[in-house]
Amino acid sequence: MAQPIKRIGVLTGGGDCPGLNAVIRAVVKDAIFHGIEVMGIEDGFLGLIRNRIRKLDWDDVSNILTQGGTILGSSNKANAKRFYVGKDENGEPRFEDVTDRCMEHYKEHKLDALVVIGGDGTMSAAAEFVERGVNCIGVPKTIDNDLVGTDLTFGFQTAVQIATDALDRVHTTAASHHRAMVVEVMGRNAGWIALHAGVASGSDVILVPEIEFDIDRVCKVCEDRGRKGKRFTIVCCSEGAKPKGGKQVIERTDPTSPDPIRYGGISKLVADEIEKQTGIESRYVVLGHVQRGGTPVAADRILATIFGDHAMELLKNGKFNRLVAWQDGGLTDVPLMESAGRQRTIPEGHHLIAAAKSVGTDFGA
Ligand code: F6P
């Protein structure tokens, strides 16, 4: 029989996304109802490294359900096993394993378990602690919806709504000015946001990293539409989309981050090429972090609350090292280690790609 849990730590790691506060609220309120103390760890695993840990009470989580971001702060650079500590004499980044220090802080605060709210990078960081015997529960967060083991992460539906609204808005300018408008959405190597927002907005072309696109074909779509009297084209483009025979466009690399690549800029290339090849005036819009900000849509508030509640159920029942998950339309959980450091991309033949094609959407291939 597992020892009852008396005190837990909760942290939010990786890029922020709408719904983080809703999970924190669900965890803390349920814990208080069951006499469990919650310590908030600030800025993801950085708080465990630097011992920035504080008690969370009812008042701390009251009125945060609808707030975007995270009251705990986050970091996408704090992997204890490979923690950036400055540059060496050659100017190269230097990393240290600071897991022992984290374990001291974990013990100092008398924590019995950690609720780790994050994406694949955060789950990889958590995996180190699982191996050290720490009881962890993962809660899947990311606007990218690319965590292995779950069909849905909270934050995704809000990002899709924001991207859809943006696509709807550029539609009017595209139609009025007879232009091609290319809207770049986030998602790293996964095209989930582009696929969903592209379908929801009725985009004419959707470009995703999973399907290499032929720019000549995209240009032909614009021209063909013109011939049919549609003198504008909307292209929904993933930041990680890749032209045939070409490369993904990297905006910057951050060597201090465990996931150093930041995509950005493909929409400019696509828009410029459409204008060059077809003579159709073209513009691009990079939505960027707008997709991660602000209040979560109702569906994400609900999902985050369900996820937080399930995390607490697992903890109270001594079922550790699990990732809360949504599969086949229902709540479940999977081994946390399975999702660590892996990305879930759109599988070949996905039903939404088929549905998009059936209404005439082109994928540039
Ligand atoms: O993983 C979430 C995400 O927003 C990606 O879609 C995007 O590529 C990346 O994070 C941006 O990271 P940063 O906030 O470090 O610029």
Side-chain angles (χ1 to χ4, degrees):
M1 182 78 183
Q3 290 286 321
I5 294 290
K6 293 198 192 93
R7 183 185 266 201
I8 61 171
V10 60
L11 63 83
T12 52
D16 71 335
C17 92
L20 285 165
N21 285 326
V23 180
I24 298 169
R25 168 182 176 269
V27 166
V28 173
K29 288 195 169 182
D30 186 86
I32 291 173
F33 280 134
H34 291 89
I36 298 169
E37 268 189 293
V38 184
M39 304 300 286
I41 300 170
E42 293 178 0
D43 300 337
F45 280 103
L46 197 59
L48 202 56
I49 296 167
R50 301 224 192 278
N51 205 11
R52 283 197 267 110
I53 298 172
R54 61 183 156 98
K55 188 160 184 282
L56 291 178
D57 288 315
W58 190 272
D59 282 350
D60 295 307
V61 298
S62 177
N63 224 359
I64 65 168
L65 173 66
T66 61
Q67 262 177 42
T70 160
I71 58 161
L72 290 174
S74 192
S75 166
N76 55 10
K77 299 184 182 177
N79 186 313
K81 186 83 184 159
R82 195 169 179 272
F83 183 58
Y84 175 72
V85 289
K87 291 188 173 156
D88 66 14
E89 60 280 7
N90 303 316
E92 295 298 320
R94 211 160 54 79
F95 297 92
E96 268 175 23
D97 182 346
V98 292
T99 318
D100 284 345
R101 201 195 301 170
C102 293
M103 289 305 297
E104 281 164 28
H105 300 150
Y106 180 83
K107 285 176 192 150
E108 180 187 323
H109 291 277
K110 299 189 168 48
L111 300 177
D112 299 314
L114 288 182
V115 175
V116 176
I117 310 167
D120 61 307
T122 306
M123 296 311 149
S124 300
E128 281 310 314
F129 294 97
V130 170
E131 275 170 11
R132 296 282 192 115
V134 172
N135 301 319
C136 287
I137 300 293
V139 180
K141 158 247 70 155
T142 166
I143 62 161
D144 303 340
N145 203 32
D146 63 350
L147 210 61
V148 169
T150 184
D151 299 340
L152 205 50
T153 56
F154 71 85
F156 170 65
Q157 295 175 91
T158 305
V160 168
Q161 189 60 55
I162 295 167
T164 303
D165 289 346
L167 284 152
D168 289 349
R169 282 178 187 278
V170 300
H171 213 118
T172 52
T173 304
S176 306
H177 290 265
H178 318 299
R179 289 176 177 166
M181 299 290 278
V182 185
V183 177
E184 181 172 319
V185 300
M186 282 184 163
R188 301 190 296 173
N189 287 311
W192 294 110
I193 298 177
L195 179 59
H196 282 248
V199 170
S201 62
S203 292
D204 307 300
V205 178
I206 300 175
L207 303 178
V208 292
E210 293 84 349
I211 304 172
E212 287 190 5
F213 68 89
D214 177 354
I215 189 65
D216 295 346
R217 181 175 167 128
V218 175
C219 292
K220 190 167 174 306
V221 170
C222 301
E223 287 172 332
D224 286 351
R225 281 177 56 77
R227 275 192 282 274
K228 288 180 197 145
K230 297 280 185 190
R231 295 171 60 205
F232 69 92
T233 301
I234 306 291
V235 181
C236 178
C237 178
S238 274
E239 62 179 4
K242 186 172 157 212
K244 263 191 190 133
K247 286 188 190 139
Q248 288 174 306
V249 181
I250 293 169
E251 199 251 329
R252 65 167 72 192
T253 52
D254 180 352
T256 68
S257 170
D259 181 12
I261 291 174
R262 296 292 177 275
Y263 297 103
I266 184 69
S267 55
K268 177 172 169 25
L269 295 192
V270 172
D272 286 354
E273 199 56 32
I274 293 173
E275 186 161 307
K276 197 170 117 199
Q277 282 199 29
T278 66
I280 299 167
E281 197 179 11
S282 303
R283 294 284 190 276
Y284 69 95
V285 182
V286 181
L287 286 188
H289 293 84
V290 169
Q291 294 155 96
R292 275 188 6 207
T295 187
V297 294
D300 271 334
R301 296 179 203 181
I302 295 165
L303 190 66
T305 303
I306 293 172
F307 278 1
D309 170 60
H310 193 60
M312 287 307 297
E313 279 312 302
L314 291 168
L315 280 178
K316 287 180 291 190
N317 290 307
K319 282 182 81 185
F320 304 126
N321 309 329
R322 309 286 296 170
L323 175 77
V324 175
W326 192 260
Q327 281 181 5
D328 304 323
L331 185 63
T332 185
D333 47 87
V334 297
L336 187 144
M337 301 298 256
E338 271 179 25
S339 66
R342 294 171 65 204
Q343 280 174 22
R344 188 181 71 96
T345 52
I346 304 170
E348 226 183 292
H350 190 272
H351 65 90
L352 200 48
I353 292 183
K357 284 184 177 168
S358 77
V359 294
T361 307
D362 203 277
F363 285 82

mmCIF file with all atom_site columns, all heavy atoms in Angstrom, residues 51 70 76 103 146 157 161 192 206 214 219 230 251 261-264 297 301 333 357:
data_model
loop_
_atom_site.group_PDB
_atom_site.id
_atom_site.type_symbol
_atom_site.label_atom_id
_atom_site.label_alt_id
_atom_site.label_comp_id
_atom_site.label_asym_id
_atom_site.label_entity_id
_atom_site.label_seq_id
_atom_site.pdbx_PDB_ins_code
_atom_site.Cartn_x
_atom_site.Cartn_y
_atom_site.Cartn_z
_atom_site.occupancy
_atom_site.B_iso_or_equiv
_atom_site.pdbx_formal_charge
_atom_site.auth_seq_id
_atom_site.auth_comp_id
_atom_site.auth_asym_id
_atom_site.auth_atom_id
_atom_site.pdbx_PDB_model_num
ATOM 1   N N   . ASN A 1 51  ? 15.677  26.701 -6.060  1.00 0.00 ? 51  ASN A N   1
ATOM 2   C CA  . ASN A 1 51  ? 14.926  26.649 -4.792  1.00 0.00 ? 51  ASN A CA  1
ATOM 3   C C   . ASN A 1 51  ? 13.952  27.823 -4.647  1.00 0.00 ? 51  ASN A C   1
ATOM 4   O O   . ASN A 1 51  ? 13.865  28.447 -3.591  1.00 0.00 ? 51  ASN A O   1
ATOM 5   C CB  . ASN A 1 51  ? 15.892  26.602 -3.595  1.00 0.00 ? 51  ASN A CB  1
ATOM 6   C CG  . ASN A 1 51  ? 15.227  25.944 -2.384  1.00 0.00 ? 51  ASN A CG  1
ATOM 7   O OD1 . ASN A 1 51  ? 14.145  25.342 -2.492  1.00 0.00 ? 51  ASN A OD1 1
ATOM 8   N ND2 . ASN A 1 51  ? 15.864  26.058 -1.226  1.00 0.00 ? 51  ASN A ND2 1
ATOM 9   N N   . THR A 1 70  ? 0.800   31.759 -16.891 1.00 0.00 ? 70  THR A N   1
ATOM 10  C CA  . THR A 1 70  ? 0.870   30.910 -15.702 1.00 0.00 ? 70  THR A CA  1
ATOM 11  C C   . THR A 1 70  ? 1.281   31.733 -14.489 1.00 0.00 ? 70  THR A C   1
ATOM 12  O O   . THR A 1 70  ? 2.290   32.455 -14.560 1.00 0.00 ? 70  THR A O   1
ATOM 13  C CB  . THR A 1 70  ? 1.835   29.719 -15.888 1.00 0.00 ? 70  THR A CB  1
ATOM 14  O OG1 . THR A 1 70  ? 2.231   29.211 -14.605 1.00 0.00 ? 70  THR A OG1 1
ATOM 15  C CG2 . THR A 1 70  ? 3.084   30.067 -16.686 1.00 0.00 ? 70  THR A CG2 1
ATOM 16  N N   . ASN A 1 76  ? 11.680  27.447 -20.702 1.00 0.00 ? 76  ASN A N   1
ATOM 17  C CA  . ASN A 1 76  ? 11.909  26.323 -21.625 1.00 0.00 ? 76  ASN A CA  1
ATOM 18  C C   . ASN A 1 76  ? 13.404  26.027 -21.747 1.00 0.00 ? 76  ASN A C   1
ATOM 19  O O   . ASN A 1 76  ? 13.867  25.480 -22.723 1.00 0.00 ? 76  ASN A O   1
ATOM 20  C CB  . ASN A 1 76  ? 11.249  26.572 -22.988 1.00 0.00 ? 76  ASN A CB  1
ATOM 21  C CG  . ASN A 1 76  ? 11.677  27.876 -23.623 1.00 0.00 ? 76  ASN A CG  1
ATOM 22  O OD1 . ASN A 1 76  ? 12.613  28.515 -23.145 1.00 0.00 ? 76  ASN A OD1 1
ATOM 23  N ND2 . ASN A 1 76  ? 11.013  28.283 -24.680 1.00 0.00 ? 76  ASN A ND2 1
ATOM 24  N N   . MET A 1 103 ? 17.217  17.546 -6.176  1.00 0.00 ? 103 MET A N   1
ATOM 25  C CA  . MET A 1 103 ? 16.755  16.507 -5.235  1.00 0.00 ? 103 MET A CA  1
ATOM 26  C C   . MET A 1 103 ? 16.839  17.027 -3.790  1.00 0.00 ? 103 MET A C   1
ATOM 27  O O   . MET A 1 103 ? 15.960  16.750 -2.969  1.00 0.00 ? 103 MET A O   1
ATOM 28  C CB  . MET A 1 103 ? 17.588  15.223 -5.383  1.00 0.00 ? 103 MET A CB  1
ATOM 29  C CG  . MET A 1 103 ? 17.329  14.448 -6.665  1.00 0.00 ? 103 MET A CG  1
ATOM 30  S SD  . MET A 1 103 ? 15.589  14.012 -6.939  1.00 0.00 ? 103 MET A SD  1
ATOM 31  C CE  . MET A 1 103 ? 15.255  12.949 -5.552  1.00 0.00 ? 103 MET A CE  1
ATOM 32  N N   . ASP A 1 146 ? 1.331   18.271 -29.942 1.00 0.00 ? 146 ASP A N   1
ATOM 33  C CA  . ASP A 1 146 ? 2.247   17.274 -30.511 1.00 0.00 ? 146 ASP A CA  1
ATOM 34  C C   . ASP A 1 146 ? 2.849   16.331 -29.471 1.00 0.00 ? 146 ASP A C   1
ATOM 35  O O   . ASP A 1 146 ? 3.937   15.787 -29.668 1.00 0.00 ? 146 ASP A O   1
ATOM 36  C CB  . ASP A 1 146 ? 3.377   17.990 -31.276 1.00 0.00 ? 146 ASP A CB  1
ATOM 37  C CG  . ASP A 1 146 ? 4.235   18.864 -30.375 1.00 0.00 ? 146 ASP A CG  1
ATOM 38  O OD1 . ASP A 1 146 ? 3.861   19.077 -29.203 1.00 0.00 ? 146 ASP A OD1 1
ATOM 39  O OD2 . ASP A 1 146 ? 5.292   19.338 -30.835 1.00 0.00 ? 146 ASP A OD2 1
ATOM 40  N N   . GLN A 1 157 ? -6.765  24.120 -28.600 1.00 0.00 ? 157 GLN A N   1
ATOM 41  C CA  . GLN A 1 157 ? -8.032  24.597 -29.172 1.00 0.00 ? 157 GLN A CA  1
ATOM 42  C C   . GLN A 1 157 ? -8.122  26.132 -29.154 1.00 0.00 ? 157 GLN A C   1
ATOM 43  O O   . GLN A 1 157 ? -8.726  26.736 -30.030 1.00 0.00 ? 157 GLN A O   1
ATOM 44  C CB  . GLN A 1 157 ? -9.206  23.954 -28.437 1.00 0.00 ? 157 GLN A CB  1
ATOM 45  C CG  . GLN A 1 157 ? -9.221  22.438 -28.669 1.00 0.00 ? 157 GLN A CG  1
ATOM 46  C CD  . GLN A 1 157 ? -10.299 21.730 -27.877 1.00 0.00 ? 157 GLN A CD  1
ATOM 47  O OE1 . GLN A 1 157 ? -11.405 21.553 -28.347 1.00 0.00 ? 157 GLN A OE1 1
ATOM 48  N NE2 . GLN A 1 157 ? -9.985  21.350 -26.657 1.00 0.00 ? 157 GLN A NE2 1
ATOM 49  N N   . GLN A 1 161 ? -8.399  28.553 -32.444 1.00 0.00 ? 161 GLN A N   1
ATOM 50  C CA  . GLN A 1 161 ? -9.429  29.601 -32.552 1.00 0.00 ? 161 GLN A CA  1
ATOM 51  C C   . GLN A 1 161 ? -8.797  30.945 -32.926 1.00 0.00 ? 161 GLN A C   1
ATOM 52  O O   . GLN A 1 161 ? -9.306  31.665 -33.794 1.00 0.00 ? 161 GLN A O   1
ATOM 53  C CB  . GLN A 1 161 ? -10.198 29.726 -31.227 1.00 0.00 ? 161 GLN A CB  1
ATOM 54  C CG  . GLN A 1 161 ? -11.417 30.621 -31.310 1.00 0.00 ? 161 GLN A CG  1
ATOM 55  C CD  . GLN A 1 161 ? -12.427 30.122 -32.342 1.00 0.00 ? 161 GLN A CD  1
ATOM 56  O OE1 . GLN A 1 161 ? -12.872 28.983 -32.283 1.00 0.00 ? 161 GLN A OE1 1
ATOM 57  N NE2 . GLN A 1 161 ? -12.772 30.964 -33.313 1.00 0.00 ? 161 GLN A NE2 1
ATOM 58  N N   . TRP A 1 192 ? -0.516  20.438 -36.763 1.00 0.00 ? 192 TRP A N   1
ATOM 59  C CA  . TRP A 1 192 ? -1.885  20.360 -36.224 1.00 0.00 ? 192 TRP A CA  1
ATOM 60  C C   . TRP A 1 192 ? -2.603  21.706 -36.240 1.00 0.00 ? 192 TRP A C   1
ATOM 61  O O   . TRP A 1 192 ? -3.774  21.796 -36.609 1.00 0.00 ? 192 TRP A O   1
ATOM 62  C CB  . TRP A 1 192 ? -1.869  19.814 -34.791 1.00 0.00 ? 192 TRP A CB  1
ATOM 63  C CG  . TRP A 1 192 ? -1.405  18.399 -34.697 1.00 0.00 ? 192 TRP A CG  1
ATOM 64  C CD1 . TRP A 1 192 ? -0.225  17.956 -34.169 1.00 0.00 ? 192 TRP A CD1 1
ATOM 65  C CD2 . TRP A 1 192 ? -2.097  17.218 -35.147 1.00 0.00 ? 192 TRP A CD2 1
ATOM 66  N NE1 . TRP A 1 192 ? -0.136  16.587 -34.265 1.00 0.00 ? 192 TRP A NE1 1
ATOM 67  C CE2 . TRP A 1 192 ? -1.269  16.113 -34.850 1.00 0.00 ? 192 TRP A CE2 1
ATOM 68  C CE3 . TRP A 1 192 ? -3.322  16.990 -35.768 1.00 0.00 ? 192 TRP A CE3 1
ATOM 69  C CZ2 . TRP A 1 192 ? -1.636  14.802 -35.156 1.00 0.00 ? 192 TRP A CZ2 1
ATOM 70  C CZ3 . TRP A 1 192 ? -3.684  15.689 -36.070 1.00 0.00 ? 192 TRP A CZ3 1
ATOM 71  C CH2 . TRP A 1 192 ? -2.853  14.620 -35.761 1.00 0.00 ? 192 TRP A CH2 1
ATOM 72  N N   . ILE A 1 206 ? -3.215  24.627 -47.524 1.00 0.00 ? 206 ILE A N   1
ATOM 73  C CA  . ILE A 1 206 ? -2.672  24.397 -46.177 1.00 0.00 ? 206 ILE A CA  1
ATOM 74  C C   . ILE A 1 206 ? -1.299  23.744 -46.356 1.00 0.00 ? 206 ILE A C   1
ATOM 75  O O   . ILE A 1 206 ? -1.175  22.734 -47.059 1.00 0.00 ? 206 ILE A O   1
ATOM 76  C CB  . ILE A 1 206 ? -3.589  23.456 -45.343 1.00 0.00 ? 206 ILE A CB  1
ATOM 77  C CG1 . ILE A 1 206 ? -4.992  24.068 -45.187 1.00 0.00 ? 206 ILE A CG1 1
ATOM 78  C CG2 . ILE A 1 206 ? -2.969  23.183 -43.971 1.00 0.00 ? 206 ILE A CG2 1
ATOM 79  C CD1 . ILE A 1 206 ? -5.998  23.148 -44.486 1.00 0.00 ? 206 ILE A CD1 1
ATOM 80  N N   . ASP A 1 214 ? 5.221   21.785 -53.043 1.00 0.00 ? 214 ASP A N   1
ATOM 81  C CA  . ASP A 1 214 ? 5.798   22.203 -54.312 1.00 0.00 ? 214 ASP A CA  1
ATOM 82  C C   . ASP A 1 214 ? 5.298   23.629 -54.570 1.00 0.00 ? 214 ASP A C   1
ATOM 83  O O   . ASP A 1 214 ? 4.103   23.847 -54.772 1.00 0.00 ? 214 ASP A O   1
ATOM 84  C CB  . ASP A 1 214 ? 5.302   21.216 -55.387 1.00 0.00 ? 214 ASP A CB  1
ATOM 85  C CG  . ASP A 1 214 ? 5.774   21.585 -56.771 1.00 0.00 ? 214 ASP A CG  1
ATOM 86  O OD1 . ASP A 1 214 ? 6.386   22.667 -56.919 1.00 0.00 ? 214 ASP A OD1 1
ATOM 87  O OD2 . ASP A 1 214 ? 5.515   20.801 -57.700 1.00 0.00 ? 214 ASP A OD2 1
ATOM 88  N N   . CYS A 1 219 ? 1.489   28.075 -56.612 1.00 0.00 ? 219 CYS A N   1
ATOM 89  C CA  . CYS A 1 219 ? 1.272   29.190 -57.553 1.00 0.00 ? 219 CYS A CA  1
ATOM 90  C C   . CYS A 1 219 ? 0.162   28.839 -58.538 1.00 0.00 ? 219 CYS A C   1
ATOM 91  O O   . CYS A 1 219 ? -0.678  29.680 -58.869 1.00 0.00 ? 219 CYS A O   1
ATOM 92  C CB  . CYS A 1 219 ? 2.569   29.482 -58.321 1.00 0.00 ? 219 CYS A CB  1
ATOM 93  S SG  . CYS A 1 219 ? 3.849   30.152 -57.249 1.00 0.00 ? 219 CYS A SG  1
ATOM 94  N N   . LYS A 1 230 ? -12.163 33.560 -58.840 1.00 0.00 ? 230 LYS A N   1
ATOM 95  C CA  . LYS A 1 230 ? -11.786 33.798 -57.435 1.00 0.00 ? 230 LYS A CA  1
ATOM 96  C C   . LYS A 1 230 ? -10.433 34.509 -57.461 1.00 0.00 ? 230 LYS A C   1
ATOM 97  O O   . LYS A 1 230 ? -9.394  33.866 -57.661 1.00 0.00 ? 230 LYS A O   1
ATOM 98  C CB  . LYS A 1 230 ? -11.657 32.472 -56.668 1.00 0.00 ? 230 LYS A CB  1
ATOM 99  C CG  . LYS A 1 230 ? -12.944 31.695 -56.564 1.00 0.00 ? 230 LYS A CG  1
ATOM 100 C CD  . LYS A 1 230 ? -13.800 32.269 -55.475 1.00 0.00 ? 230 LYS A CD  1
ATOM 101 C CE  . LYS A 1 230 ? -15.057 31.426 -55.265 1.00 0.00 ? 230 LYS A CE  1
ATOM 102 N NZ  . LYS A 1 230 ? -16.014 32.092 -54.379 1.00 0.00 ? 230 LYS A NZ  1
ATOM 103 N N   . GLU A 1 251 ? 14.347  30.788 -37.795 1.00 0.00 ? 251 GLU A N   1
ATOM 104 C CA  . GLU A 1 251 ? 14.467  32.223 -37.522 1.00 0.00 ? 251 GLU A CA  1
ATOM 105 C C   . GLU A 1 251 ? 15.660  32.501 -36.614 1.00 0.00 ? 251 GLU A C   1
ATOM 106 O O   . GLU A 1 251 ? 16.372  33.465 -36.768 1.00 0.00 ? 251 GLU A O   1
ATOM 107 C CB  . GLU A 1 251 ? 13.164  32.702 -36.884 1.00 0.00 ? 251 GLU A CB  1
ATOM 108 C CG  . GLU A 1 251 ? 12.938  34.191 -36.953 1.00 0.00 ? 251 GLU A CG  1
ATOM 109 C CD  . GLU A 1 251 ? 13.073  34.864 -35.596 1.00 0.00 ? 251 GLU A CD  1
ATOM 110 O OE1 . GLU A 1 251 ? 12.755  34.219 -34.571 1.00 0.00 ? 251 GLU A OE1 1
ATOM 111 O OE2 . GLU A 1 251 ? 13.513  36.017 -35.554 1.00 0.00 ? 251 GLU A OE2 1
ATOM 112 N N   . ILE A 1 261 ? 15.948  25.146 -31.670 1.00 0.00 ? 261 ILE A N   1
ATOM 113 C CA  . ILE A 1 261 ? 15.505  25.714 -32.951 1.00 0.00 ? 261 ILE A CA  1
ATOM 114 C C   . ILE A 1 261 ? 14.199  26.481 -32.821 1.00 0.00 ? 261 ILE A C   1
ATOM 115 O O   . ILE A 1 261 ? 13.242  26.009 -32.203 1.00 0.00 ? 261 ILE A O   1
ATOM 116 C CB  . ILE A 1 261 ? 15.372  24.586 -34.005 1.00 0.00 ? 261 ILE A CB  1
ATOM 117 C CG1 . ILE A 1 261 ? 16.775  24.075 -34.338 1.00 0.00 ? 261 ILE A CG1 1
ATOM 118 C CG2 . ILE A 1 261 ? 14.669  25.076 -35.265 1.00 0.00 ? 261 ILE A CG2 1
ATOM 119 C CD1 . ILE A 1 261 ? 16.817  22.886 -35.223 1.00 0.00 ? 261 ILE A CD1 1
ATOM 120 N N   . ARG A 1 262 ? 14.185  27.700 -33.379 1.00 0.00 ? 262 ARG A N   1
ATOM 121 C CA  . ARG A 1 262 ? 12.956  28.495 -33.441 1.00 0.00 ? 262 ARG A CA  1
ATOM 122 C C   . ARG A 1 262 ? 12.650  28.752 -34.918 1.00 0.00 ? 262 ARG A C   1
ATOM 123 O O   . ARG A 1 262 ? 13.449  29.367 -35.613 1.00 0.00 ? 262 ARG A O   1
ATOM 124 C CB  . ARG A 1 262 ? 13.135  29.840 -32.716 1.00 0.00 ? 262 ARG A CB  1
ATOM 125 C CG  . ARG A 1 262 ? 13.397  29.710 -31.227 1.00 0.00 ? 262 ARG A CG  1
ATOM 126 C CD  . ARG A 1 262 ? 12.194  29.176 -30.455 1.00 0.00 ? 262 ARG A CD  1
ATOM 127 N NE  . ARG A 1 262 ? 12.504  28.991 -29.041 1.00 0.00 ? 262 ARG A NE  1
ATOM 128 C CZ  . ARG A 1 262 ? 13.071  27.915 -28.512 1.00 0.00 ? 262 ARG A CZ  1
ATOM 129 N NH1 . ARG A 1 262 ? 13.409  26.895 -29.289 1.00 0.00 ? 262 ARG A NH1 1
ATOM 130 N NH2 . ARG A 1 262 ? 13.297  27.832 -27.221 1.00 0.00 ? 262 ARG A NH2 1
ATOM 131 N N   . TYR A 1 263 ? 11.515  28.239 -35.361 1.00 0.00 ? 263 TYR A N   1
ATOM 132 C CA  . TYR A 1 263 ? 11.137  28.402 -36.768 1.00 0.00 ? 263 TYR A CA  1
ATOM 133 C C   . TYR A 1 263 ? 10.520  29.773 -37.003 1.00 0.00 ? 263 TYR A C   1
ATOM 134 O O   . TYR A 1 263 ? 10.002  30.409 -36.089 1.00 0.00 ? 263 TYR A O   1
ATOM 135 C CB  . TYR A 1 263 ? 10.139  27.303 -37.166 1.00 0.00 ? 263 TYR A CB  1
ATOM 136 C CG  . TYR A 1 263 ? 10.738  25.929 -37.058 1.00 0.00 ? 263 TYR A CG  1
ATOM 137 C CD1 . TYR A 1 263 ? 10.433  25.091 -35.988 1.00 0.00 ? 263 TYR A CD1 1
ATOM 138 C CD2 . TYR A 1 263 ? 11.640  25.474 -38.017 1.00 0.00 ? 263 TYR A CD2 1
ATOM 139 C CE1 . TYR A 1 263 ? 11.005  23.842 -35.874 1.00 0.00 ? 263 TYR A CE1 1
ATOM 140 C CE2 . TYR A 1 263 ? 12.220  24.224 -37.910 1.00 0.00 ? 263 TYR A CE2 1
ATOM 141 C CZ  . TYR A 1 263 ? 11.896  23.408 -36.830 1.00 0.00 ? 263 TYR A CZ  1
ATOM 142 O OH  . TYR A 1 263 ? 12.474  22.177 -36.713 1.00 0.00 ? 263 TYR A OH  1
ATOM 143 N N   . GLY A 1 264 ? 10.516  30.198 -38.257 1.00 0.00 ? 264 GLY A N   1
ATOM 144 C CA  . GLY A 1 264 ? 9.853   31.464 -38.599 1.00 0.00 ? 264 GLY A CA  1
ATOM 145 C C   . GLY A 1 264 ? 10.371  32.001 -39.909 1.00 0.00 ? 264 GLY A C   1
ATOM 146 O O   . GLY A 1 264 ? 11.584  31.980 -40.156 1.00 0.00 ? 264 GLY A O   1
ATOM 147 N N   . VAL A 1 297 ? -10.130 29.344 -24.515 1.00 0.00 ? 297 VAL A N   1
ATOM 148 C CA  . VAL A 1 297 ? -11.528 29.128 -24.918 1.00 0.00 ? 297 VAL A CA  1
ATOM 149 C C   . VAL A 1 297 ? -12.162 28.156 -23.919 1.00 0.00 ? 297 VAL A C   1
ATOM 150 O O   . VAL A 1 297 ? -11.450 27.451 -23.173 1.00 0.00 ? 297 VAL A O   1
ATOM 151 C CB  . VAL A 1 297 ? -11.637 28.560 -26.363 1.00 0.00 ? 297 VAL A CB  1
ATOM 152 C CG1 . VAL A 1 297 ? -11.152 29.564 -27.385 1.00 0.00 ? 297 VAL A CG1 1
ATOM 153 C CG2 . VAL A 1 297 ? -10.895 27.223 -26.502 1.00 0.00 ? 297 VAL A CG2 1
ATOM 154 N N   . ARG A 1 301 ? -10.592 25.423 -21.043 1.00 0.00 ? 301 ARG A N   1
ATOM 155 C CA  . ARG A 1 301 ? -10.801 25.558 -19.585 1.00 0.00 ? 301 ARG A CA  1
ATOM 156 C C   . ARG A 1 301 ? -11.339 24.233 -19.029 1.00 0.00 ? 301 ARG A C   1
ATOM 157 O O   . ARG A 1 301 ? -10.951 23.786 -17.955 1.00 0.00 ? 301 ARG A O   1
ATOM 158 C CB  . ARG A 1 301 ? -11.825 26.660 -19.293 1.00 0.00 ? 301 ARG A CB  1
ATOM 159 C CG  . ARG A 1 301 ? -11.362 28.026 -19.717 1.00 0.00 ? 301 ARG A CG  1
ATOM 160 C CD  . ARG A 1 301 ? -12.432 29.048 -19.425 1.00 0.00 ? 301 ARG A CD  1
ATOM 161 N NE  . ARG A 1 301 ? -12.247 30.209 -20.276 1.00 0.00 ? 301 ARG A NE  1
ATOM 162 C CZ  . ARG A 1 301 ? -13.014 31.279 -20.247 1.00 0.00 ? 301 ARG A CZ  1
ATOM 163 N NH1 . ARG A 1 301 ? -14.031 31.353 -19.419 1.00 0.00 ? 301 ARG A NH1 1
ATOM 164 N NH2 . ARG A 1 301 ? -12.783 32.281 -21.061 1.00 0.00 ? 301 ARG A NH2 1
ATOM 165 N N   . ASP A 1 333 ? -4.822  7.703  -18.951 1.00 0.00 ? 333 ASP A N   1
ATOM 166 C CA  . ASP A 1 333 ? -3.446  8.056  -18.628 1.00 0.00 ? 333 ASP A CA  1
ATOM 167 C C   . ASP A 1 333 ? -2.519  7.005  -19.200 1.00 0.00 ? 333 ASP A C   1
ATOM 168 O O   . ASP A 1 333 ? -2.920  5.862  -19.405 1.00 0.00 ? 333 ASP A O   1
ATOM 169 C CB  . ASP A 1 333 ? -3.260  8.220  -17.105 1.00 0.00 ? 333 ASP A CB  1
ATOM 170 C CG  . ASP A 1 333 ? -3.864  7.084  -16.314 1.00 0.00 ? 333 ASP A CG  1
ATOM 171 O OD1 . ASP A 1 333 ? -3.176  6.068  -16.111 1.00 0.00 ? 333 ASP A OD1 1
ATOM 172 O OD2 . ASP A 1 333 ? -5.045  7.201  -15.907 1.00 0.00 ? 333 ASP A OD2 1
ATOM 173 N N   . LYS A 1 357 ? -9.218  17.899 -48.392 1.00 0.00 ? 357 LYS A N   1
ATOM 174 C CA  . LYS A 1 357 ? -9.077  17.683 -49.849 1.00 0.00 ? 357 LYS A CA  1
ATOM 175 C C   . LYS A 1 357 ? -10.452 17.564 -50.499 1.00 0.00 ? 357 LYS A C   1
ATOM 176 O O   . LYS A 1 357 ? -10.664 18.026 -51.617 1.00 0.00 ? 357 LYS A O   1
ATOM 177 C CB  . LYS A 1 357 ? -8.251  16.413 -50.101 1.00 0.00 ? 357 LYS A CB  1
ATOM 178 C CG  . LYS A 1 357 ? -6.755  16.633 -49.862 1.00 0.00 ? 357 LYS A CG  1
ATOM 179 C CD  . LYS A 1 357 ? -5.963  15.405 -50.221 1.00 0.00 ? 357 LYS A CD  1
ATOM 180 C CE  . LYS A 1 357 ? -4.475  15.645 -50.066 1.00 0.00 ? 357 LYS A CE  1
ATOM 181 N NZ  . LYS A 1 357 ? -3.692  14.405 -50.129 1.00 0.00 ? 357 LYS A NZ  1
#
